[in-house]
Amino acid sequence: MSSERTSSSSSGSYELCKGINGLDKVLLRDARGSSAEVYLYGGHVTSWKNEHGEELFFLSSKAIFKPPKAIRGGIPICFPQFANLGTLESHGFARNRFWSIDNSPPPFPTNTSNKAFVDLILKPSEDDMKIWPHSFEFRLRVALGPGGDLMLTSRIRNTNVDGKPFSFTFAYHTYFSVSDISEVRVEGLETLDYLDNLQKRERFTEQGDALTFESEFDRIYLSTPTKIAILDHEKKRTFVLRKDGLPDAVVWNPWDKKAKAMSDFGDDEYKHMLCVEGAAIEKPITLKPGEEWKGRLELSTVPSSYCSGQLDPRKVLQGS
């Protein structure tokens, strides 16, 4: 049932096959054994595995792979609206649309050693234009690096012919798999201002030396660094996010009550996930016709170890 594509100058090496409920998905594989899966529905990365075959993303056991419901887990793309910050349905519509494989994307500077990649494209339908009356081309490249790093590059272009600019907010709503949320720390957001979604988006300043989790957590950190680390004590693994064009970072865990209220989320699954999302929310992106915005996310893992009871993430955050 699957058709194999081979590497060429314009399109990466990937396999197109059928996923859950017969939905089309793209499989990316690295020579060392790491892999990623991308559903054309939503342009949605649902799986990222390291060379040992360990799943690095959280995907709910109750995720519903049936349009128009968004897939719960992996990396839903929030566009052209984050959450309910506007008139559209929550998180916009890009995650509920069928994307197409783009076999001749316009060139952009990229690491030529990434042979496992796929280019997807989303353009608005007539129905989309009724709810958000703007013409755009959203190109997404998902690439697997030689070391198993996962890279997502979004390029959004205003193709309006009426001369009108448009504005949007955006997030890569990434669900990381963690062993135990109470044993997780997030480094890199210390002393920053954030909007607390649990307190009507009131603005506060982060006081702690690292983020830890013992109850529901839903914040938008502002003017964040290009690098953020998620340290999983039990797995002795650190996720490193590097981002470009994405000044904000959303950190979310629904905790027990919200988890129980979500039909596509297991009651206890909040213990094993954390969303840390590269985003552009506080200051919406505005594009004039012909202008293009680029937002890039690179995810990698490094081993981490405790030293006298404290993690030493400075090495991670200050490293390359």
Side-chain angles (χ1 to χ4, degrees), residues 24 33 76 86 105 122 126 140 161 166 189 210:
D24 287 329
L122 178 69
E126 284 183 19
L140 172 68
V161 291
F166 63 67
L189 302 175

Side-chain angles (χ1 to χ4, degrees), residues 74-246:
I75 311 182
I77 288 176
C78 304
F79 171 85
Q81 174 186 300
F82 178 77
N84 56 359
L85 296 171
T87 58
L88 300 173
E89 62 190 295
S90 181
H91 290 328
F93 52 74
R95 64 186 189 146
N96 315 92
R97 297 294 182 268
F98 283 94
W99 295 53
S100 304
I101 291 176
D102 186 6
N103 285 320
S104 53
F108 63 100
T110 185
N111 183 348
T112 50
S113 65
N114 299 333
K115 292 196 174 62
F117 67 85
V118 66
D119 288 289
L120 303 182
I121 186 166
L122 178 69
K123 295 179 184 179
S125 67
E126 284 183 19
D127 286 343
D128 295 336
M129 295 285 281
K130 286 174 189 164
I131 58 170
W132 200 67
H134 304 292
S135 183
F136 66 86
E137 289 179 353
F138 186 149
R139 286 185 163 84
L140 172 68
R141 173 169 288 191
V142 182
L144 203 55
D149 297 2
L150 184 68
M151 285 152 283
L152 282 79
T153 306
S154 288
R155 296 184 292 168
I156 297 168
R157 181 177 290 278
N158 180 340
T159 54
N160 277 338
V161 291
D162 59 7
K164 286 183 181 166
F166 63 67
S167 298
F168 64 89
T169 48
F170 178 95
Y172 289 115
H173 198 314
T174 312
Y175 288 76
F176 292 95
S177 172
V178 298
S179 47
D180 178 355
I181 187 63
S182 61
E183 297 280 348
V184 169
R185 294 158 58 100
V186 174
E187 301 275 352
L189 302 175
E190 307 79 41
T191 74
L192 297 182
D193 283 3
Y194 64 87
L195 308 177
D196 193 335
N197 288 319
L198 302 179
Q199 302 195 48
K200 298 180 179 171
R201 294 205 177 88
E202 195 179 331
R203 192 177 183 121
F204 297 94
T205 301
E206 184 57 54
Q207 305 296 338
D209 61 346
L211 307 189
T212 54
F213 304 92
E214 49 197 27
S215 59
E216 186 184 352
F217 202 100
D218 191 355
R219 298 175 182 176
I220 303 167
Y221 286 84
L222 310 172
S223 304
T224 58
T226 56
K227 197 145 82 168
I228 299 167
I230 304 165
L231 300 104
D232 187 338
H233 169 40
E234 212 170 292
K235 280 208 170 84
K236 294 188 168 51
R237 173 195 293 149
T238 295
F239 291 106
V240 182
L241 281 80
R242 291 178 180 83
K243 56 191 181 59
D244 186 46
L246 302 161

Side-chain angles (χ1 to χ4, degrees), residues 2-59:
S2 68
S3 60
E4 183 79 39
R5 291 195 58 88
T6 52
S7 242
S8 71
S9 58
S10 61
S11 61
S13 173
Y14 61 85
E15 186 182 334
L16 182 61
C17 52
K18 293 293 181 189
I20 295 170
N21 291 334
L23 293 172
D24 287 329
K25 72 175 179 182
V26 168
L27 186 58
L28 301 175
R29 280 197 192 91
D30 169 61
R32 290 187 201 164
S34 56
S35 66
E37 292 185 4
V38 193
Y39 274 74
L40 296 192
Y41 176 61
H44 196 133
V45 181
T46 54
S47 172
W48 173 38
K49 291 179 180 173
N50 63 17
E51 66 273 21
H52 307 299
E54 295 171 310
E55 181 58 63
L56 302 171
F57 283 156
F58 167 82
L59 181 70

